[in-house]
Amino acid sequence: MRTRTAVAVLVVMLALGGVAAYGLTQGPSGSLSTEWVSDTSRANEVNHHPLAVGTLDGEPLVVAPVSSVAGPDAKCSFVAFDATGATRWTHDVDESACAIHGIGDVELADATGDGTVDVLAPTTEEVLYALDARDGSVTWTANLTAYGYAGPTVLTDPERVVVQPDTAGVVFGFDENGSTLWRHDLDEYVSADTRSVTLGDGRRGVAVGSSGHVTVFDANGTVVWQDAARATWLETAEIDGERSLVASGGSSVTVFSVNGTERWERDGFKRPALHDVVDGDGDGVKELYLGSGGDTVAALNARTGETEWETTLSTDANILPAPVVGDLDGDGETEVVAATNDGVVHVLDAESGEVMASSERDVSVWVHPTLADLDGDGQDEILVMYGDGRVVALSYEGDR
């Protein structure tokens, strides 16, 4: 296990007429630069739902759930951007319902079966939206029993079903027109994004993580299995050739096979935030990348749960959103990106945990970044949703 501390020498510049300050850092083996900043600010620092990135008519589409605090000036909006950060369209949520969870986690998928992508997300209006990704117009809405936090999943086999939980723990299955096919009450808080799974007999199902359990449903709403676990975050992964589910939350990380058998569990973490399970160091065994506490990034062996490395970042932040991984400089190797709550984005070496570059903005970050190759150059850009509602696109240049 390695522990390293990021030490940054900051060069500060003002952006957007002095609205925000950015520090660009040349690390030991790379640097970060700002590509664009969205014009979507709110007078708060509460935005904490992630961006969604997809493709529309062959071009990148970035959708941000921009929320606000409740009040007379509240404005919650779905905002769609192109690859350059220019706004394609905006869809506003009812002002009377706008709040810090105004728009939940967004999913881009074909909900209607017409072959084009839809923008799906729950809101504090206690509905699930299906928006036309081309212009943001409403295709349909479906009623929930409470506001939604987690994002939905669209199953297409044996029939098209949009599965959406709300925070009261009611899980809905909607058809392609938004009509209710089934519902199941978990009676637990749900914040983990739903995940599509392939069951042991080849059927498609969906996994839902809640405050006390992981529950797997088949497409018709029947519970296939349920097991106890804190699942604030939930991901799928192939581990040693076995389809698996990884749940994290509270102080624990638990890995299940897709049939519900527990593979391993580890405790002793502080708010372990999870997003990616990949072979980051190329050794043939996948790693599970965690953000823990306010300052710790860890790589766990996905087969055993053992810590491969751990990095402590220089920060006084309260939380660390989940790290994400991708190829940032097009060299075929993986980098890890971790954004701390105090507004610093770090790039780490996936093999050692060494910090290679950092970028600072004096605004809180509450949710994991999103990686996507927006300009088609073979290098992933880093898209960060800041608490003030702005989206910032960063690019990384490494030494080759």
Side-chain angles (χ1 to χ4, degrees):
M1 177 170 62
R2 300 186 186 184
T3 301
R4 299 178 183 269
T5 301
V7 179
V9 178
L10 301 179
V11 179
V12 179
M13 68 178 185
L14 294 181
L16 298 176
V19 172
Y22 297 83
L24 304 184
T25 303
Q26 179 72 41
S29 58
S31 60
L32 283 165
S33 58
T34 300
E35 296 297 318
W36 52 263
V37 182
S38 70
D39 187 17
T40 52
S41 64
R42 299 291 188 271
N44 56 70
E45 292 193 18
V46 300
N47 282 272
H48 58 276
H49 289 273
L51 302 158
V53 180
T55 303
L56 180 65
D57 299 329
E59 298 294 330
L61 176 72
V62 180
V63 180
V66 183
S67 294
S68 180
V69 294
D73 298 323
K75 185 177 182 181
C76 296
S77 308
F78 294 84
V79 185
F81 308 101
D82 66 13
T84 68
T87 300
R88 296 182 62 144
W89 53 260
T90 298
H91 179 89
D92 295 334
V93 171
D94 188 339
E95 292 182 4
S96 66
C98 184
I100 62 171
H101 298 297
I103 302 173
D105 290 3
V106 178
E107 178 70 16
L108 303 182
D110 181 6
T112 63
D114 65 356
T116 61
V117 68
D118 300 290
V119 178
L120 298 161
T123 74
T124 44
E125 299 162 296
E126 299 184 1
V127 299
L128 170 66
Y129 274 93
L131 303 178
D132 188 322
R134 292 165 294 192
D135 58 12
S137 60
V138 177
T139 301
W140 52 256
T141 62
N143 291 328
L144 307 174
T145 66
Y147 75 88
Y149 190 108
T153 288
V154 178
L155 303 178
T156 59
D157 182 25
E159 60 182 338
R160 193 170 301 273
V161 182
V162 181
V163 181
Q164 173 67 59
D166 61 27
T167 51
V170 181
V171 183
F172 292 89
F174 301 112
D175 68 12
E176 59 190 19
N177 299 309
S179 298
T180 301
L181 295 170
W182 54 264
R183 57 178 284 173
H184 182 94
D185 192 352
L186 294 174
D187 197 29
E188 293 182 342
Y189 188 86
V190 178
S191 61
D193 287 342
T194 55
R195 298 299 178 196
S196 175
V197 296
T198 301
L199 305 175
D201 57 4
R203 290 178 298 150
R204 299 299 292 172
V206 62
V208 178
S210 57
S211 53
H213 293 86
V214 173
T215 307
V216 173
F217 299 88
D218 66 16
N220 65 14
T222 301
V223 174
V224 179
W225 61 264
Q226 183 182 71
D227 209 333
R230 186 73 177 268
T232 307
W233 293 269
L234 183 66
E235 295 295 335
T236 59
E238 287 276 343
I239 301 176
D240 292 336
E242 184 178 32
R243 294 188 296 270
S244 303
L245 284 164
V246 186
S248 70
S251 61
S252 63
V253 179
T254 310
V255 178
F256 298 96
S257 68
V258 76
N259 64 11
T261 303
E262 185 178 306
R263 291 178 58 112
W264 57 263
E265 181 179 16
R266 272 193 64 181
D267 208 351
F269 299 99
K270 182 179 179 182
R271 192 186 175 274
L274 164 74
H275 191 269
D276 288 337
V277 184
V278 300
D279 181 10
D281 56 14
D283 66 353
V285 179
K286 290 184 178 180
E287 284 77 40
L288 191 159
Y289 294 93
L290 287 180
S292 181
D295 60 1
T296 303
V297 181
L300 307 185
N301 183 302
R303 177 188 295 162
T304 64
E306 296 178 351
T307 301
E308 295 190 1
W309 55 257
E310 185 176 274
T311 295
T312 301
L313 304 172
S314 291
T315 178
D316 295 324
N318 297 317
I319 67 169
L320 185 70
V324 294
V325 301
D327 185 358
L328 303 180
D329 55 6
D331 65 354
E333 298 184 358
T334 300
E335 287 80 38
V336 179
V337 181
T340 55
N341 185 221
D342 59 354
V344 184
V345 178
H346 301 277
V347 177
L348 293 79
D349 183 280
E351 185 173 355
S352 67
E354 178 184 17
V355 176
M356 299 187 292
S358 303
S359 175
E360 182 173 3
R361 182 170 182 252
D362 191 20
V363 181
S364 297
V365 177
W366 302 91
V367 69
H368 64 81
T370 300
L371 305 186
D373 182 4
L374 297 180
D375 54 14
D377 65 353
Q379 302 176 211
D380 285 338
E381 280 74 47
I382 305 167
L383 296 167
V384 185
M385 167 60 86
Y386 284 87
D388 64 356
R390 293 191 190 275
V391 179
V392 176
L394 302 170
S395 61
Y396 172 74
E397 191 67 36
D399 292 341
R400 303 191 193 183

